[in-house]
Amino acid sequence: MGKKDDGSGATSGMIYVYDKELAWVPARLVSQDGDNAVVSIPTYADEAAILTDGGKGAKSWREEKISVKNYPGKQFPLQNIKGGKLVEVEDMVDLPFLHEAAILFNLKARHVQALPYTRTGDIIIAVNPYQWLTDIYTEKVQLKYANRLVWEASESDARRGIAPHVYETSALCYKGLAVDGMNQSILVSGESGAGKTETVKICMNHIAAVQRGTDADPKEKNMVVQRVVESNPLLEAFGNAKTRRNDNSSRFGKYIQLQFDRNEGGAGMGERVPPTKLAGSKCEVYLLEKSRIVGHEEKEGTFHVFYQICAAKEADKAAIWSGLKGTKPQSFKYVGAAGNRKIDGHSDGDHYYLTCDALSLIDIKGEKLMTLMRAITAVMQLGQLGFGPKFGDNEKGAVNTKNELSDLADLTGVPEKELELSMTERTMITRGETFKVPLKPPEAKDACDAFAKEIYAKTFLWLVREINAATCAEDNYTGERRSDFGTIGLLDIFGFESFPVNGFEQLCINYANEKLQQKFTRDIFQTVQEEYKFEGIALDDIRYDDNSDVLDLIEGRGGLLAMLNEECVRPKGNDREFVHKAANGNKNSKCLIKDRLMGPMDFGIQHYAGKVTYFAEGFIHRNQDNLPLDLKNAAKKSSNEIIANHLENEKMMKGDTAAPKMAQSGPRRGKSNIAGDTVWTKFRTQLNSLMKMLNETQSRYIRCVKPNTMKKPLVMQHMTTVEQLRCAGVVAAVTISRSAFPNRLDHRSCLERFKMLVKKKGKKDDGASDPKEAVIKLMSKALAPMKSKDGTEGFVVGKTRVYFRLGALEYLENERMKGWDKWALDIQRVTRGWLVRRKNSSRRMKKKAPSAVVIQCWFRCFLARRDLKRRKKLKKLKKKQNKKQNKAAIKIQAHVRTFLWIPKFKELLKEKKEKDGLKNKIKDLESAVREAEKARAKEVEEARHVAEAEMEEYRAKIKEELANDKEKQKKSAQQQTLIDESGKIIEYLRKENMKLRNQNETMRKDFKALKENNARLMEANQSASNSFTALNDHAKQLNVTNAKLIRNVEAYKTQLEKLKDDLKTRQAYYLAEAEARLAYQKTMAQIVGAIQDKCRDAQLVEDVVIMALECEAEAKSERAALEAASSKKKSSSSSKSSKTTKTAPVEEDLDSDSDSDSD
């Protein structure tokens, strides 16, 4: 502690210093003398307020004396700061100073802005934001990354210009598989609560979206894709549990292989990426935490499915088992109180029905679903059993909860007596005899717990097999491919663990992380090699620490694994003896830690992420974990299909068949069987298989980080984050990438930053012509004191960057600060001289001030009068100019208006003439109609007058005749009748004339309507002819498409023939290899016989016989596989022949369709 500082003192660099509680804090180097330095450290309100801001947000400053001996290269890590602000980057490879503190504060600066993803080369660091950031997971964002990284062509790195994202990793994996044809893998790691499982789901969903292509409808659902994506939550229900760190923590590791049908013929016309469709998936699981089944800490929970069953509706619980009615989680000892449990906003009851819906997708429903749920319920019921002394004898145990035992027997279908005996007695087999040994009550309870753990573990594996059967491409894909699918693997595995007390599970988990770290280190080393090759830098100086010594300690011939298995085989093997042997057998190993302060059951290992101390109590018991023969026999009598038939099935796929177990020649090999079946041996075999698969793929890494333990958004705790960065290998990756050259700058930045170190004479040259040459000249002069005795420079210049050796950049920064001091002195000297000169001149001016005022007054008057005259002239000129402009504008407007109105007037005149002509025509027609009507009226009137005159004459004649002759009176009466009738006829003719006029008017209207209909029919005829032309063009296009399809059918036939020939060649090769293996087997049998006859070492004879039996079993399995392949080939050849007979009429139909289309 030292004196107070306001942060404004002279400093020589912005640095980071180590803090016991906060890991790293920013500081300012005040002075340095050898290994001792004085630094000024800003004090902030809290940890969240600490930022690399040059101390702007600090409350105060304090000075401390610090030794630099504990810092790498005895140099403080420098801050990436420019203009008083942190240089925040998306890709931390671009940081000039890349070290642990720089990584921490760059991640923190992005985290507080809700930017969860940061890139470090090919590694994506995902910081859990503890909130769902909707805007970065939309379909639009998915499409953006797919287009940029997969579908669009790019000459440079396609990642430039887009923000880091896990979509980047998934899109590049899809591109690597589709374009390069190389299987891919994504390794997701991190501690519990860091977001590994969620990250894997995000990657899976994006890969499923990318494989649809650019033209597919996102709403269109593929059943295979739906099963693959929605089957993952099933494993969460059965394999996840609540822990102190995470409410939904995966308590197992899983490796999901997404299977793809890749078109090996390459991309089609107009395509850049070959079609690669998601065909299915396979899943493998590792190291389920079985100890959680029978017990857990108070604030933690067991697996979710137990709570879900207890929270189901009463009717559904009764359908599973009547004993579940009215039960709650606290009703079962293995489960315990649930508390207020909610995951993703859903209660346990909601999750139960979501789980059932997901199970129905993989065809687990009805009675099959009930079988699964009853197996899980049997596990809960086993926890209800209690054990005590039998008739007061503490050496013999018995079940003292008879009702619970009866309920368990009813649930499982195993007779009650046999169930009790299987847990309270142990069958021992010796040479020639078999006998029963009673178990003590604690041992019986252990047997019961082991039975529960085994049932749940094998039920979990049964579920994995069902998921794989429903999603694997070999059984469910409808495309042509049936094998050899391309894969993208997603590994979600437990991160490195170090607790106050570490047991057997932590040792297995950390062993797996050591294996993965070895691959990670080698991949990073390869990336650094590629970078140095591109830059043209020699690769001799790269150094990195390999963790092979730790792996040798764990899995070597005399390592911990071998000694633990040996202690498991030994009749009186115990944990204390295992620790003693491990310490003595590996005393020369630097990775094994055993000091006097440790207890007899403690040992430590120096892992890549740090020292971990293990407590070995229970190692032997947990490593064996074998189910006794009595419990296996009892389980086989169960009515539950899972318990009865799957307790010895370790496979992940339904189609996998275990190698047949050979009959043993005697009981003396029982120990080897025990050793071969240990948990660690099985896990190592699984892990080696996983590493083999991963080594055959191109791996990409996502490191998940848990920023704080409070699960608060936008808050980062320094120490927690730094420990995770170390455990995730991010710091190790930086160490490898910067082993030879810890710091780097691009050419321009180097020139701009350090050009002031060398004084130049003559013209200014900033290196614009050749930056590389300018950098070489500049650095050769600036770093001349750093040159070693053997002539090695302190820097290397690549194509685009300058690489600095350890301490070189720090030396340049110190020299730069000294240079700034010199420049500051020069600036101060010039400034002070200017200030003195200004002060003296002001004194002289004060003496001359009165005279100057008079001169200024007269001069200002002169300037004002001159300016007034100028303004008056300008005003007159403006008036004249405005008048001229107005007159000209009026003339222009007149001409323009005349010009614009002449055509309009002509149009109006023309229209008026046409209207007048039409009016005249109408008047002529009206006058003609009136004349015609007048003529008709005149004719009718004349006809009427003539008729009336004639009638008058007739009347006169009739009257004369009547007067003369009476007989003629009768005739006159008739004539009178005729006259009346003729009057009626005339009246009728008048009416008919009016009707004809009305009909004429109606016919005129009808004629006009007919004209309008005719015009409409003409327009309809024109549109019909256009439609006919379009249909004709479409028919021609269909003909062309049909022809292409026929050509594609022919191409596929030729490809099929080639595949047949290739299959025959491979089968012949496999048959020859199998025959050779049989010959080797016979030779091995002879060797074994000779060893058994002549060798006196019984253990060696036993090991050789076991190896021979394993080889023989493997040969038999290969022979069975070959026979199955030959039988499949025969059946497939017969089915293919029937298919070829069917393809001919299909082609004929295609031809007929094409002919009809062309017609």
Side-chain angles (χ1 to χ4, degrees):
M1 295 295 291
K3 63 181 182 179
K4 296 284 183 180
D5 180 24
D6 61 356
S8 61
T11 62
S12 59
M14 305 301 291
I15 60 171
Y16 293 106
V17 294
Y18 186 74
D19 186 273
K20 292 182 180 180
E21 296 179 357
L22 302 174
W24 294 99
V25 293
R28 183 184 287 125
L29 181 61
V30 177
S31 63
Q32 185 172 353
D33 182 14
D35 293 340
N36 297 317
V38 177
V39 299
S40 182
I41 303 174
T43 304
Y44 291 85
D46 54 19
E47 185 178 13
I50 300 176
L51 296 172
T52 307
D53 58 357
K56 294 177 182 177
K59 293 168 55 180
S60 61
W61 292 74
R62 72 179 192 276
E63 283 191 0
E64 286 189 7
K65 292 182 180 180
I66 296 178
S67 174
V68 298
K69 291 181 180 179
N70 298 326
Y71 291 84
K74 295 184 178 181
Q75 295 283 345
F76 289 109
L78 298 178
Q79 298 179 18
N80 295 289
I81 197 166
K82 187 175 182 181
K85 293 183 179 180
L86 176 70
V87 180
E88 179 199 325
V89 295
E90 294 179 341
D91 190 343
M92 291 192 287
V93 171
D94 297 332
L95 288 173
F97 310 109
L98 183 57
H99 41 72
E100 187 176 271
I103 293 172
L104 170 66
F105 280 92
N106 192 75
L107 289 176
K108 184 175 183 179
R110 293 178 60 78
H111 179 63
V112 297
Q113 300 176 56
L115 299 173
Y117 300 116
T118 308
R119 191 185 299 122
T120 304
D122 291 333
I123 308 167
I124 294 293
I125 300 176
V127 181
N128 192 343
Y130 287 115
Q131 58 182 329
W132 186 255
L133 305 174
T134 310
D135 55 330
I136 65 172
Y137 300 110
T138 61
E139 289 184 2
K140 185 178 180 180
V141 176
Q142 288 184 349
L143 186 61
K144 172 186 172 183
Y145 280 83
N147 288 337
R148 185 68 176 271
L149 300 176
V150 180
W151 308 115
E152 295 177 359
S154 177
E155 296 180 358
S156 60
D157 189 354
R159 297 176 300 171
R160 292 292 178 185
I162 58 173
H165 204 295
V166 290
Y167 288 165
E168 168 188 320
T169 304
S170 53
L172 289 176
C173 279
Y174 180 82
K175 182 180 179 181
L177 175 64
V179 177
D180 302 330
M182 187 173 185
N183 291 338
Q184 306 286 312
S185 60
I186 302 174
L187 278 64
V188 183
S189 64
E191 75 165 42
S192 178
K196 301 187 298 296
T197 304
E198 198 64 39
T199 300
V200 168
K201 288 192 284 188
I202 292 170
C203 286
M204 284 181 62
N205 286 321
H206 187 235
I207 292 171
V210 173
Q211 61 89 32
R212 289 197 299 258
T214 55
D215 300 330
D217 182 7
K219 295 181 180 179
E220 181 181 352
K221 287 194 175 181
N222 184 319
M223 197 61 188
V224 174
V225 176
Q226 187 181 2
R227 282 183 177 181
V228 169
V229 174
E230 296 188 14
S231 62
N232 192 52
L234 277 179
L235 296 176
E236 292 184 23
F238 287 81
N240 286 24
K242 179 182 178 181
T243 64
R244 289 179 179 271
R245 297 181 176 182
N246 187 8
D247 292 340
N248 190 24
S249 175
S250 297
R251 308 317 299 162
F252 67 102
K254 62 175 178 289
Y255 182 59
I256 302 171
Q257 285 183 299
L258 302 179
Q259 299 171 295
F260 291 85
D261 181 6
R262 179 179 177 271
N263 186 3
E264 297 179 356
M269 290 294 292
E271 294 179 343
R272 199 177 67 85
V273 179
T276 306
K277 296 297 181 184
L278 182 60
S281 71
K282 291 191 291 187
C283 178
E284 293 189 13
V285 295
Y286 306 94
L287 209 65
L288 179 70
E289 189 183 15
K290 293 194 287 186
S291 59
R292 187 171 292 272
I293 299 167
V294 298
H296 54 80
E297 294 185 21
E298 183 179 354
K299 293 184 179 180
E300 296 190 350
T302 185
F303 295 105
H304 294 328
V305 68
F306 294 115
Y307 300 99
Q308 292 177 10
I309 291 175
C310 294
K313 296 177 182 177
E314 292 298 326
D316 295 324
K317 290 197 288 187
I320 297 172
W321 179 48
S322 59
L324 283 175
K325 283 185 178 179
T327 57
K328 296 179 180 179
Q330 54 265 35
S331 304
F332 298 97
K333 296 177 182 178
Y334 282 168
V335 182
N340 188 16
R341 285 172 50 93
K342 273 203 172 184
I343 300 171
D344 295 334
H346 295 287
S347 64
D348 290 321
D350 298 334
H351 274 294
Y352 173 78
Y353 296 102
L354 291 173
T355 301
C356 291
D357 292 340
L359 287 168
S360 66
L361 275 177
I362 59 171
D363 203 28
I364 298 180
K365 48 192 173 183
E367 190 58 33
K368 201 172 185 180
L369 175 64
M370 291 297 104
T371 301
L372 171 63
M373 294 302 174
R374 285 165 189 156
I376 303 298
T377 307
V379 173
M380 293 192 289
Q381 187 62 22
L382 277 167
Q384 304 301 97
L385 299 183
F387 297 87
K390 187 176 183 179
F391 306 122
D393 187 356
N394 291 326
E395 297 298 318
K396 296 180 181 179
V399 178
N400 54 17
T401 52
K402 296 299 182 180
N403 293 333
E404 283 75 8
L405 178 64
S406 176
D407 291 340
L408 179 64
D410 174 61
L411 177 60
T412 59
V414 181
E416 185 177 339
K417 189 65 177 175
E418 290 191 23
L419 195 58
E420 182 178 10
L421 291 175
S422 66
M423 287 184 280
T424 56
E425 292 182 351
R426 185 69 66 247
T427 300
M428 305 297 292
I429 302 175
T430 60
R431 294 178 180 271
E433 62 177 338
T434 301
F435 57 92
K436 300 276 188 181
V437 176
L439 298 178
K440 298 177 182 179
E443 293 174 344
K445 177 60 178 173
D446 291 342
C448 176
D449 291 343
F451 194 29
K453 290 190 286 186
E454 194 68 13
I455 291 175
Y456 190 83
K458 293 306 187 291
T459 303
F460 187 70
L461 285 181
W462 176 86
L463 178 63
V464 171
R465 288 193 294 273
E466 292 294 325
I467 292 174
N468 286 336
T471 60
C472 69
E474 289 83 358
D475 298 335
N476 300 279
Y477 185 51
T478 56
E480 295 181 0
R481 188 184 294 273
R482 282 291 174 267
S483 61
D484 195 22
F485 291 94
T487 61
I488 297 178
L490 294 104
L491 179 65
D492 175 8
I493 200 162
F494 15 68
F496 188 88
E497 291 187 354
S498 177
F499 301 122
V501 178
N502 299 286
F504 179 73
E505 288 80 7
Q506 279 69 45
L507 182 58
C508 292
I509 288 170
N510 293 341
Y511 166 52
N513 279 275
E514 287 285 354
K515 296 284 280 187
L516 293 172
Q517 179 64 20
Q518 185 180 51
K519 174 175 171 53
F520 176 67
T521 304
R522 289 173 180 171
D523 289 346
I524 295 299
F525 178 68
Q526 184 178 358
T527 303
V528 175
Q529 281 183 319
E530 292 174 357
E531 179 188 352
Y532 283 13
K533 279 183 180 179
F534 172 76
E535 293 285 346
I537 299 174
L539 303 174
D540 302 335
D541 295 324
I542 305 178
R543 300 286 184 271
Y544 69 95
D545 295 329
D546 193 2
N547 63 341
S548 56
D549 50 353
V550 182
L551 292 173
D552 289 340
L553 170 65
I554 297 175
E555 64 180 5
R557 181 169 292 182
L560 301 179
L561 171 61
M563 289 187 176
L564 184 59
N565 285 340
E566 180 183 345
E567 203 63 23
C568 290
V569 173
R570 203 164 62 87
K572 293 185 179 181
N574 57 75
D575 301 320
R576 186 188 294 266
E577 192 66 24
F578 158 67
V579 175
H580 179 70
K581 286 183 178 179
N584 290 335
N586 297 278
K587 62 176 66 175
N588 296 325
S589 175
K590 296 180 180 179
C591 302
L592 183 67
I593 302 169
K594 184 70 177 171
D595 55 34
R596 296 178 181 177
L597 297 177
M598 291 183 177
M601 300 284 281
D602 294 333
F603 66 94
I605 297 177
Q606 186 65 45
H607 290 284
Y608 73 92
K611 173 186 172 183
V612 179
T613 303
Y614 297 96
F615 184 57
E617 184 177 354
F619 268 40
I620 304 299
H621 173 70
R622 292 180 183 177
N623 189 37
Q624 289 176 338
D625 198 23
N626 287 329
L627 195 65
L629 184 63
D630 304 80
L631 290 172
K632 288 182 181 178
N633 293 333
K636 289 177 182 178
K637 297 178 181 179
S638 173
S639 60
N640 189 292
E641 196 267 340
I642 297 175
I643 299 175
N645 301 324
H646 295 278
L647 284 195
E648 298 184 38
N649 192 346
E650 298 280 349
K651 300 300 177 183
M652 306 286 179
M653 297 290 295
K654 278 189 174 181
D656 291 347
T657 54
K661 294 184 179 180
M662 304 303 297
Q664 299 172 1
S665 57
R668 61 191 180 94
R669 286 195 293 273
K671 293 180 182 179
S672 297
N673 287 341
I674 294 172
D677 291 335
T678 60
V679 171
W680 202 338
T681 304
K682 285 188 231 179
F683 181 58
R684 185 181 68 170
T685 303
Q686 275 189 314
L687 193 57
N688 288 337
S689 174
L690 172 65
M691 297 309 300
K692 183 180 178 183
M693 285 190 292
L694 292 177
N695 289 328
E696 293 172 354
T697 65
Q698 181 182 2
S699 298
R700 300 182 186 276
Y701 298 90
I702 300 175
R703 295 309 194 215
C704 298
V705 176
K706 181 180 180 179
N708 61 75
T709 56
M710 302 90 67
K711 302 177 185 178
K712 290 184 178 180
L714 309 182
V715 175
M716 179 171 284
Q717 294 175 318
H718 293 190
M719 188 62 75
T720 301
T721 305
V722 167
E723 288 175 354
Q724 291 177 76
L725 292 173
R726 292 170 184 166
C727 295
V730 176
V731 178
V734 172
T735 304
I736 294 170
S737 63
R738 301 295 175 96
S739 58
F741 305 103
N743 307 106
R744 61 193 72 183
L745 287 171
D746 62 81
H747 293 163
R748 286 288 176 193
S749 299
C750 183
L751 286 173
E752 291 295 328
R753 192 170 184 84
F754 301 116
K755 64 184 178 182
M756 48 79 66
L757 294 179
V758 179
K759 293 184 178 180
K760 296 181 181 179
K761 296 181 179 179
K763 291 184 178 181
K764 183 180 178 182
D765 181 16
D766 59 354
S769 58
D770 189 357
K772 184 175 180 180
E773 291 297 327
V775 168
I776 293 173
K777 291 178 183 179
L778 175 63
M779 291 295 105
S780 298
K781 293 179 181 179
L783 289 175
M786 293 287 294
K787 194 172 183 178
S788 62
K789 294 180 180 180
D790 59 357
T792 303
E793 296 281 359
F795 69 98
V796 174
V797 180
K799 292 180 181 178
T800 62
R801 292 176 177 171
V802 188
Y803 293 81
F804 298 95
R805 298 188 189 278
L806 185 64
L809 193 59
E810 288 79 1
Y811 171 78
L812 288 174
E813 288 292 333
N814 288 330
E815 291 298 315
R816 179 169 170 263
M817 295 308 299
K818 291 177 184 178
W820 285 126
D821 291 340
K822 292 179 182 178
W823 283 105
L825 290 174
D826 290 340
I827 292 169
Q828 288 173 358
R829 176 178 55 79
V830 174
T831 304
R832 285 169 182 158
W834 178 80
L835 290 172
V836 171
R837 286 192 297 274
R838 191 180 70 171
K839 188 175 181 181
N840 291 334
S841 63
S842 66
R843 286 175 181 173
R844 289 194 297 268
M845 292 302 294
K846 282 181 180 178
K847 292 179 181 180
K848 299 177 181 179
S851 303
V853 170
V854 175
I855 294 168
Q856 288 174 357
C857 179
W858 284 103
F859 187 70
R860 284 174 185 146
C861 290
F862 168 75
L863 291 177
R865 283 193 295 271
R866 190 174 67 177
D867 188 55
L868 180 61
K869 289 180 182 178
R870 183 180 58 81
R871 289 184 179 183
K872 285 180 179 179
K873 287 182 180 179
L874 287 174
K875 190 174 182 181
K876 289 179 181 178
L877 288 173
K878 283 184 178 179
K879 283 183 179 180
K880 290 179 181 179
Q881 194 173 1
N882 288 336
K883 287 180 180 179
K884 289 180 180 179
Q885 287 178 352
N886 289 334
K887 289 180 181 179
I890 291 168
K891 288 181 181 179
I892 291 169
Q893 289 174 359
H895 287 295
V896 170
R897 286 169 182 158
T898 304
F899 175 75
L900 294 174
W901 273 100
I902 285 172
K904 293 181 180 179
F905 179 74
K906 287 181 179 179
E907 288 291 331
L908 292 172
L909 190 60
K910 188 177 178 181
E911 289 178 1
K912 187 177 181 182
K913 287 180 180 179
E914 289 177 355
K915 287 181 179 179
D916 292 340
L918 290 173
K919 287 180 179 178
N920 292 332
K921 286 181 182 179
I922 290 169
K923 287 179 180 179
D924 293 340
L925 289 172
E926 288 177 352
S927 61
V929 170
R930 283 195 294 271
E931 289 295 331
E933 288 179 354
K934 286 179 180 180
R936 283 196 210 98
K938 189 176 182 181
E939 288 175 357
V940 172
E941 196 64 33
E942 288 176 354
R944 187 172 63 79
H945 288 305
V946 171
E948 287 178 355
E950 288 177 354
M951 293 219 15
E952 288 296 330
E953 289 178 0
Y954 279 123
R955 284 176 185 168
K957 288 179 182 180
I958 289 168
K959 285 180 179 179
E960 290 176 358
E961 289 176 357
L962 285 173
N964 299 324
D965 193 4
K966 292 180 180 179
E967 292 179 1
K968 289 182 180 179
Q969 287 181 356
K970 294 180 182 179
K971 293 179 181 179
S972 64
Q974 294 175 356
Q975 288 177 355
Q976 183 68 36
T977 311
L978 290 172
I979 291 168
D980 295 336
E981 288 178 357
S982 62
K984 292 178 181 178
I985 289 169
I986 290 168
E987 190 65 28
Y988 174 75
L989 288 174
R990 287 180 182 173
K991 291 179 180 179
E992 287 297 323
N993 186 19
M994 293 300 293
K995 285 182 182 179
L996 288 172
R997 286 182 183 176
N998 294 332
Q999 287 177 0
N1000 186 18
E1001 190 67 27
T1002 305
M1003 288 177 69
R1004 284 181 185 176
K1005 293 179 181 179
D1006 293 342
F1007 178 71
K1008 189 176 180 180
L1010 286 172
K1011 275 187 177 180
E1012 293 175 355
N1013 290 333
N1014 189 20
R1016 292 195 194 98
L1017 289 172
M1018 291 292 288
E1019 292 175 0
N1021 187 20
Q1022 184 65 29
S1023 63
S1025 63
N1026 293 335
S1027 300
F1028 179 75
T1029 305
L1031 289 171
N1032 195 14
D1033 294 338
H1034 182 61
K1036 289 179 181 178
Q1037 290 177 359
L1038 289 175
N1039 291 337
V1040 173
T1041 305
N1042 197 11
K1044 286 183 181 178
L1045 289 173
I1046 293 171
R1047 287 197 296 272
N1048 288 338
V1049 169
E1050 293 298 329
Y1052 292 151
K1053 284 183 179 178
T1054 55
Q1055 288 180 4
L1056 183 61
E1057 293 298 328
K1058 289 180 182 178
L1059 288 173
K1060 285 181 180 178
D1061 296 338
D1062 187 21
L1063 184 61
K1064 289 179 182 177
T1065 305
R1066 290 188 180 183
Q1067 188 174 9
Y1069 171 75
Y1070 290 147
L1071 288 172
E1073 187 177 1
E1075 292 175 359
R1077 290 291 295 271
L1078 290 174
Y1080 293 156
Q1081 194 66 28
K1082 291 178 181 177
T1083 306
M1084 178 62 77
Q1086 294 175 0
I1087 293 171
V1088 170
I1091 290 174
Q1092 285 181 333
D1093 294 338
K1094 297 180 180 180
C1095 185
R1096 297 180 180 180
D1097 190 347
Q1099 185 63 36
L1100 177 61
V1101 172
E1102 178 184 347
D1103 294 339
V1104 170
V1105 169
I1106 291 172
M1107 290 173 61
L1109 291 173
E1110 290 176 352
C1111 292
E1112 185 177 353
E1114 185 178 354
K1116 286 188 177 182
S1117 64
E1118 288 184 359
R1119 195 185 312 156
L1122 285 172
E1123 290 175 359
S1126 61
S1127 62
K1128 282 184 179 178
K1129 183 185 174 186
K1130 290 179 182 180
S1131 61
S1132 64
S1133 61
S1134 61
S1135 63
K1136 284 179 181 177
S1137 62
S1138 63
K1139 285 182 179 179
T1140 52
T1141 57
K1142 292 179 180 178
T1143 54
V1146 172
E1147 292 177 7
E1148 291 175 2
D1149 292 341
L1150 287 172
D1151 294 338
S1152 63
D1153 290 342
S1154 64
D1155 294 339
S1156 63
D1157 290 339
S1158 61
D1159 292 337

